[in-house]
Amino acid sequence: MSRFVRPSKYRHVFGRPAKKEYGYENVKVTNSAWDTNFISASGQYISVNWNASGGGAFAILPLPSPFQIASGFPQKLPDSLPLARSHTAAVLDTDWSPHNDSIVASCGEDGKVMIWKVEASAFEGWGQENWVPQDFDPVARIDASPRKIGQVLFHPTAANVLASASGEHTVKLWDLANPEEARNVLTGHGDAIQSLSFNPTGTLLATTCRDRKLRLFDPRAGGEAVRVVDGHGGIKGSRAVWMGDLDKIATTGFSKMSDRQVAIWETGGLGNVKTIVLDQSSGVVMPFWSDNNILFLAGKGDGNIRYYEYESDTLHALDEYKSSEPQRGMCFLPRRALNVGECEIARAYKVHSSSIEPIAFIVPRKADSFQSDIFPPAPSSEPSLSASEFFAGKTAALNLVDLSSGANYASSVPPPAIPTVTPTVPAPPPAPAVARSNSYNAPAALPVVPKQESPSLTQASPEPTPAASPVVESKRTQSTGAESALKEENARLTSELREAREKIRNLELLVESVRANSRKAAETLLAALR
């Protein structure tokens, strides 16, 4: 047995549950048997599928924190509270816009998709004397299908683009500015669609289905899938999640012998890279991907959350968050809203039978400054494209935000450099540490510490310090300039390589789409001739 331990920054990540008073109690979670997560989160709010009479409803609540009590809001929810009630049948799924923390989409058994906008004033006076709850009203209604709509998912880079999966076994793409008719329809599913997942740029869409197939679609081409492969052998619920920019897809499901599994697939030909058996429990496993290259797995009915680090085509088990309370549903907070001051790399919201519990996943470090090695740039709230540009065929990189400075930039461009103090001879005193912020809701640029001579050092050195040689300073300047030029060249080449790979992948998908359409046309012609 090897004595060497695999080096990792995340080996000691642990899940810290919030105190009871930091979460929400008296939550009336829906009794629907439909397999979704029941909860979704933006940077400001959470939505929960609600158990309400007289049609479908879901609740919209301010985002609870695992580090403090939500000010001015009751921890135990009142029996009567404002709900989003316009659905005439049970609400099955909700999803928040990645570009606006106040916009949420919902779908239900009535075949409707609705868009809601949350105003901050809606939560003023909750629970106070003479308070009267006012239900939320949708800003848009879409008759998406004569059958139920099981999932909704916003596009990651294009503003106001929404995907919906219906009981007709199709996925429809909507431009919310013109919702009268679906812009594209993705077909070919043989049974109920179980999950949807866009790649980071939104040029591909992966789906899992009850017919045990994993499919890859070009959402702008429409029609049938460009890649289809046999997924997990069991008929029970299967989920898929895109693994960031690694060109990999992670799926969870069941084997023919009802073992719970997690599998990794490469996107070029949908070849299976690795499949791991988890256990023999019966609950559907919900996968969540973090850009720290960590895959979180939470099984319905389980009390634990497993997490793995993906490296060299292998899932390395890190640890497991354990709890005696089983989870009915779960979601994760967008990374741009994490508390970087507490070294929080992920945050889960766990739905119990009658409560919601925030769980912070933390890297234990004592440093007070920003830890750049565990906080890669996060997806920004700024869209890269408009809906019309996306459906016209334009592709743009995902906009990212630097969690230390709040600076936004396209993912193919390196982040802007943050000014830092450069020591000289004699060296100035160390710059004061940047105080930890309690939250990342209002990013601000880091202060620039002015360069100044230290009087204490001058008094402690009675002999004058010899000045640096001009030749040495010149060599240092040239060396620094050469390193900077190499870094810029490396960033440019990396960007060009990524763009070339994207073009190759798009061409491959186009060829596959043409082939599929040709086969379909040939089959139609043969059927007509017969």
Side-chain angles (χ1 to χ4, degrees):
M1 183 176 177
S2 174
R3 293 179 178 272
F4 296 102
V5 178
R6 185 184 65 89
S8 171
K9 301 185 289 287
Y10 308 108
R11 273 182 55 210
H12 303 291
V13 170
F14 68 96
R16 179 198 291 175
K19 295 180 181 179
K20 189 176 181 180
E21 59 269 23
Y22 291 179
Y24 289 132
E25 291 186 342
N26 197 29
V27 178
K28 300 175 183 178
V29 187
T30 180
N31 291 327
S32 173
W34 183 251
D35 178 29
T36 54
N37 294 353
F38 293 155
I39 185 170
S40 182
S42 73
Q44 295 181 3
Y45 305 103
I46 57 173
S47 56
V48 188
N49 296 2
W50 207 254
N51 184 17
S53 58
F58 68 98
I60 299 173
L61 303 169
L63 192 74
S65 168
F67 304 104
Q68 60 187 6
I69 298 176
S71 59
F73 200 81
Q75 177 259 339
K76 184 176 181 180
L77 300 178
D79 291 329
S80 177
L81 74 165
L83 297 174
R85 292 183 181 270
S86 293
H87 285 277
T88 57
V91 172
L92 300 180
D93 194 24
T94 59
D95 188 48
W96 291 89
S97 169
H99 309 124
N100 189 329
D101 287 336
S102 301
I103 299 292
V104 61
S106 65
C107 65
E109 291 184 355
D110 57 1
K112 303 288 193 295
V113 171
M114 298 190 185
I115 311 299
W116 313 74
K117 189 172 190 328
V118 185
E119 302 292 343
S121 58
F123 301 99
E124 294 178 357
W126 272 51
Q128 296 181 4
E129 190 176 356
N130 300 324
W131 171 71
V132 178
Q134 298 290 329
D135 287 342
F136 297 95
D137 291 320
V139 295
R141 292 179 172 88
I142 303 174
D143 293 324
S145 171
R147 295 190 177 185
K148 66 183 176 186
I149 303 295
Q151 292 89 15
V152 285
L153 182 65
F154 273 99
H155 194 277
T157 59
N160 300 324
V161 174
L162 184 74
S164 66
S166 74
E168 300 172 288
H169 308 159
T170 61
V171 177
K172 295 181 180 180
L173 277 296
W174 304 90
D175 178 358
L176 298 183
N178 301 286
E180 294 79 15
E181 187 175 352
R183 294 296 301 265
N184 277 326
V185 181
L186 312 180
T187 60
H189 297 92
D191 209 326
I193 299 167
Q194 295 174 324
S195 70
L196 309 173
S197 182
F198 279 109
N199 70 336
T201 56
T203 56
L204 296 172
L205 177 70
T207 67
T208 57
C209 181
R210 193 176 169 83
D211 64 6
R212 292 170 282 189
K213 303 285 187 184
L214 173 64
R215 291 175 171 84
L216 201 59
F217 289 90
D218 180 349
R220 288 179 288 200
E224 296 191 0
V226 295
R227 296 276 194 280
V228 182
V229 70
D230 290 332
H232 298 273
I235 198 170
K236 295 175 71 174
S238 178
R239 301 286 191 92
V241 63
W242 212 280
M243 299 172 67
D245 57 1
L246 298 179
D247 288 336
K248 300 284 192 302
I249 299 171
T251 61
T252 58
F254 293 80
S255 70
K256 292 181 179 179
M257 303 301 292
S258 295
D259 296 326
R260 293 202 296 191
Q261 299 175 325
V262 57
I264 307 298
W265 310 80
E266 54 86 17
T267 57
L270 280 189
N272 182 261
V273 177
K274 195 174 191 65
T275 299
I276 298 174
V277 175
L278 299 174
D279 52 35
Q280 280 104 24
S281 297
S282 59
V284 173
V285 178
M286 300 173 284
F288 303 95
W289 176 257
S290 168
D291 290 330
N292 306 83
N293 287 357
I294 297 178
L295 179 66
F296 294 87
L297 302 177
K300 287 194 172 184
D302 299 352
N304 62 333
I305 304 172
R306 299 177 175 95
Y307 39 102
Y308 301 80
E309 184 176 9
Y310 182 77
E311 185 180 25
S312 302
D313 291 339
T314 303
L315 287 173
H316 300 278
L318 291 173
D319 204 345
E320 186 175 342
Y321 169 80
K322 296 181 180 180
S323 169
S324 60
E325 291 287 337
Q327 55 229 7
R328 292 198 59 195
M330 185 171 291
C331 71
F332 272 67
L333 183 71
R335 288 186 54 248
R336 56 185 164 82
L338 293 173
N339 189 331
V340 297
E342 296 287 345
C343 292
E344 180 189 36
I345 63 167
R347 184 189 301 175
Y349 286 95
K350 178 178 176 179
V351 179
H352 302 286
S353 57
S354 62
S355 62
I356 298 173
E357 177 188 26
I359 303 170
F361 289 90
I362 295 172
V363 176
R365 291 189 178 180
K366 294 183 179 180
D368 292 329
S369 59
F370 177 75
Q371 304 294 294
S372 59
D373 61 322
I374 60 173
F375 287 108
S380 169
S381 60
E382 294 184 2
S384 306
L385 298 167
S386 65
S388 57
E389 289 174 331
F390 170 73
F391 288 112
K394 186 176 179 181
T395 301
L398 182 69
N399 282 334
L400 300 177
V401 57
D402 189 316
L403 296 182
S404 64
S405 65
N408 290 281
Y409 60 94
S411 59
S412 59
V413 180
I418 300 173
T420 56
V421 177
T422 304
T424 58
V425 181
V434 180
R436 292 196 294 181
S437 62
N438 289 331
S439 133
Y440 185 68
N441 291 336
L446 291 178
V448 180
V449 182
K451 198 185 302 183
Q452 58 183 7
E453 299 292 332
S454 171
S456 60
L457 286 179
T458 305
Q459 294 172 5
S461 305
E463 296 181 5
T465 305
S469 169
V471 177
V472 174
E473 291 295 333
S474 176
K475 288 183 178 180
R476 286 179 183 173
T477 304
Q478 293 175 4
S479 175
T480 303
E483 289 178 2
S484 176
L486 285 174
K487 288 181 180 178
E488 291 178 0
E489 180 69 10
N490 185 36
R492 184 183 63 80
L493 292 174
T494 302
S495 171
E496 290 179 357
L497 179 60
R498 188 182 295 111
E499 291 175 359
R501 286 176 176 171
E502 185 74 20
K503 289 179 181 178
I504 291 171
R505 192 181 306 113
N506 289 337
L507 289 173
E508 289 177 348
L509 291 172
L510 182 61
V511 170
E512 290 291 337
S513 179
V514 171
R515 286 178 179 172
N517 292 335
S518 300
R519 283 195 299 269
K520 193 172 181 180
E523 290 171 359
T524 305
L525 183 59
L526 288 174
L529 291 175
R530 289 174 187 170

